[in-house]
Amino acid sequence: MEPAVLYEDDYIVAINKPSGLVVHQGVGTDETLVDWILARYPEMRGVGEQDCQLLRPGMVHRLDRDTSGVMVLAKQQQAFSALKKHFQKGKVEKEYHSFVYGKPREARGTVTLSIGKSRSDFRRFATRHTRGELRTARTEYVVVGSCTEAASFVRFYPKTGRTHQIRVHAQSMYTPIVCDPLYATSQEPMLGFSRLALHSRRLSLRAHWHTETLHLVAPHPADFLAAFSSCDTVVQEAVLFSS
């Protein structure tokens, strides 16, 4: 449950968040990413949204509890404000790796369905039968190859940052993410996964304190590496050459 530091300078720290580590305190949660941040960077306590009810030191974005991979934290308020604008304006490039049930009809494409809160389950978001505000969402994807006849390895590129966006858009294509406890409830676990098969692989950003774009990459966790052995050579070679 210990995050690994991928990159650090005077302004930001990029970490590889392990699956299972919740970002901030909630009902029934124990150790959180916030606890880790404050233990290692106590000076970051006051960095972030000042009117937020929850303590989220330096957090300009978040990952779901079971999602692993790259997260960027701001170490200074000036950096937080700058990065927040970059995320809001879509200037941060994100790439997620995932295993999905089945195979999308198109080898590559874009999902532009708006997302809102589910009318039937407060924990879920949806593209239909929603309540309240619908928010625009855009996710590009590329199907890399097959992993057995019943699953595929897909790269997702979210262009907006809605809650559960990739998970909801994957479900909208009738190919939910493997082991998703909210959006694939009728599917059996496969490929050895016991958690949501979603990994924040890359994050690229350009800030005024850097002369070049930062490309931050989180290594694939053990469950992903094990699942790759069940995939065709196209997937294995793509993963090898993208490392």
Side-chain angles (χ1 to χ4, degrees), residues 174-220:
Y174 303 100
T175 55
I177 295 174
V178 168
C179 234
D180 192 323
L182 288 179
Y183 302 101
T185 54
S186 63
Q187 303 278 8
E188 294 293 329
M190 65 184 306
L191 296 172
F193 281 98
S194 58
R195 59 96 171 187
L196 178 73
L198 184 62
H199 180 65
S200 174
R201 173 65 167 170
R202 299 176 189 273
L203 195 152
S204 300
L205 60 91
R206 176 77 177 270
H208 66 274
W209 56 84
H210 288 287
T211 57
E212 298 180 353
T213 300
L214 282 175
H215 299 286
L216 306 166
V217 180
H220 290 110

Side-chain angles (χ1 to χ4, degrees), residues 106-120:
E106 303 295 333
R108 62 176 62 231
T110 303
V111 183
T112 57
L113 297 173
S114 296
I115 294 175
K117 291 184 177 180
S118 170
R119 192 183 302 167
S120 60

